[in-house]
């Protein structure tokens, strides 16, 4: 298979590549969203710890 | 006998174990998805009827499978939270919902893009497509219901109830191609005894299925750690875990 033939996908390129791109975006979003929600949870706990320490002092 | 079950229900244990599993799940997902992509896109031969458009199956089928698996996980975890009042059950259900919703959307979009050259239309009110769309609405409903309550415990219970009731849609999706006249093709991978695909096409598909499952496990671990922190932020162990 040539490089041009690979990207052409037998004439179905406009259907095949958007599918792979969309699922790639879904995989990337899942990782980003999960990491950012976990980071937000950690920073909420840290803030609560700082406020608790501030209240005690 | 039930020691493992009670240990699994312990938030500090789950928080620690999720961190241990995460690199293995993510590494395994990268390897298997990488292999599946290369084998499926480069080495698998074109289908004799669908040509190269059949390669969409390598992202469509794993997305569709994951949309069902994540829903069943959410419903079972929600049910455990409802019946045995185990808090971690609700945390797993909350963590699973957005992952499942995103892969349901992926299954619908990739199916639609495959349908255009094969069926001549992006969308048909076909039993399989319609029941998968209902699954997306169920996911959105479960997430919206959970966040609609000021009291998170009531939100958890209401969302779990909807998830458990909605699980009836899962066999409907799976058997829709058998029960009704459907444009959608029948099972190809589920027939393990008599596979409908040659090995050169099947192996990359199985690798992608496994890769997506491992990826789901990895993302679930990350989300679950966040959920546990959110729900247990008043606990002493959380303060210790964050400090260290």
């Amino acid at each position: 298979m040539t490089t041009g033939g690979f990207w052409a996908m037998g004439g179905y390129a406009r259907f095949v590549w958007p599918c792979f791109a969309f699922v790639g975006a879904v995989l990337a979003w899942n990782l980003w969203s999960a990491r950012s929600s976990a980071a937000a949870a950690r920073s909420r706990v840290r803030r609560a710890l700082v406020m608790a320490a501030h209240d005690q002092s | 006998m039930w020691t493992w079950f009670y240990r699994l229900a312990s938030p500090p244990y789950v928080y620690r174990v999720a961190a241990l599993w995460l690199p293995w799940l993510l590494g395994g997902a990268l390897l298997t998805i990488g292999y599946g992509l290369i084998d499926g896109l480069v080495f698998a031969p074109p289908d004799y009827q669908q040509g190269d458009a059949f390669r969409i199956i390598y992202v469509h089928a794993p997305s569709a499978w994951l949309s069902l698996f994540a829903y069943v996980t959410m419903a079972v975890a929600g049910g455990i939270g409802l019946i045995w009042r185990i808090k971690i059950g609700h945390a797993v259900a909350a963590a699973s919902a957005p992952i499942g919703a995103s892969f349901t959307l992926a299954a619908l979009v990739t199916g639609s893009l495959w349908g255009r050259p094969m069926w001549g239309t992006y969308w048909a009110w076909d039993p399989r497509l319609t029941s998968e769309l209902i699954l997306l609405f169920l996911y959105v409903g479960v997430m919206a219901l959970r966040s609609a309550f000021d009291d998170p415990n009531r939100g958890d219970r209401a969302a779990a109830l909807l998830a458990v009731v909605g699980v009836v849609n899962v066999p409907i999706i799976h058997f829709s191609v058998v029960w009704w006249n459907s444009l959608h093709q029948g099972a190809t991978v589920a027939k393990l005894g008599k596979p409908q695909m040659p090995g050169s096409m099947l192996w990359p598909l199985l690798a992608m299925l496994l890769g997506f499952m491992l990826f789901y496990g990895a993302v679930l671990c990350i989300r679950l750690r966040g959920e546990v922190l959110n729900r247990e932020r008043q606990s002493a162990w959380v303060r210790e875990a964050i400090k260290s």
Side-chain angles (χ1 to χ4, degrees):
Chain A
M1 185 192 286
T2 61
T3 311
F6 172 73
W7 290 112
M9 278 287 148
Y12 292 109
R14 70 194 178 102
F15 302 108
V16 174
W17 295 120
C19 283
F20 281 83
F22 189 83
V23 172
V26 166
L27 292 171
W29 175 84
N30 265 295
L31 265 185
W32 171 81
S33 164
R35 287 176 67 96
S36 60
S37 69
R42 270 195 303 275
S43 68
R44 264 195 294 275
V45 175
R46 277 203 195 95
R47 252 198 326 270
L49 277 175
V50 169
M51 284 174 71
H54 187 262
D55 288 347
Q56 280 174 357
S57 64
Chain B
M1 182 190 165
W2 290 95
T3 320
W4 62 273
F5 187 73
Y6 288 114
R7 206 190 299 162
L8 268 181
S10 152
Y13 178 79
V14 168
Y15 184 80
R16 204 176 65 247
V17 166
L20 290 175
W21 284 4
L22 180 59
W24 296 100
L25 290 167
L26 207 53
L30 280 174
L31 281 176
T32 44
I33 290 175
Y35 160 74
L37 276 179
I38 293 168
D39 206 11
L41 283 172
V42 181
F43 297 111
D47 183 71
Y48 78 107
Q49 278 183 321
Q50 302 179 23
D52 284 306
F54 104 92
R55 295 182 204 280
I56 292 172
I57 199 176
Y58 293 123
V59 283
H60 172 70
S63 301
W65 162 251
L66 205 52
S67 71
L68 299 181
F69 184 80
Y71 193 91
V72 172
T73 304
M74 180 178 79
V76 169
I80 287 171
L82 264 184
I83 296 163
W84 286 290
R85 296 179 185 274
I86 293 174
K87 286 185 286 182
I88 207 75
H90 292 302
V92 171
S96 190
I99 313 171
S102 66
F103 281 99
T104 309
L105 183 66
L108 286 167
V109 169
T110 54
S112 176
L113 281 164
W114 177 85
R116 182 70 185 90
M118 294 302 130
W119 300 341
T121 180
Y122 286 108
W123 182 262
W125 291 103
D126 171 88
R128 173 61 70 84
L129 276 67
T130 309
S131 50
E132 186 75 11
L133 182 64
I134 291 170
L135 186 73
L136 179 63
F137 294 155
L138 275 168
Y139 272 121
V140 174
V142 166
M143 289 188 288
L145 197 56
R146 178 173 285 109
S147 55
F149 288 85
D150 289 332
D151 177 4
N153 292 326
R154 287 184 66 199
D156 277 340
R157 285 199 298 274
L161 196 62
L162 178 58
V164 169
V165 171
V167 86
V168 73
N169 190 41
V170 172
I172 292 175
I173 294 171
H174 185 72
F175 292 108
S176 58
V177 291
V178 180
W179 291 341
W180 296 289
N181 279 326
S182 177
L183 280 170
H184 199 283
Q185 66 194 65
T188 47
V189 181
K191 291 181 177 176
L192 285 176
K194 199 172 66 176
Q196 303 285 303
M197 295 172 94
S200 54
M201 292 174 168
L202 186 62
W203 284 114
L205 181 57
L206 293 177
M208 290 295 275
L209 283 168
L210 176 65
F212 274 50
M213 290 291 287
L214 292 171
F215 182 82
Y216 168 74
V219 176
L220 189 72
C221 282
I222 304 172
R223 281 197 177 274
L224 191 53
R225 278 169 62 84
E227 280 291 330
V228 167
L229 282 185
N230 260 337
R231 289 158 189 261
E232 299 282 314
R233 59 177 176 264
Q234 306 298 337
S235 311
W237 75 265
V238 167
R239 287 182 224 131
E240 289 306 313
I242 291 294
K243 273 181 193 167
S244 60

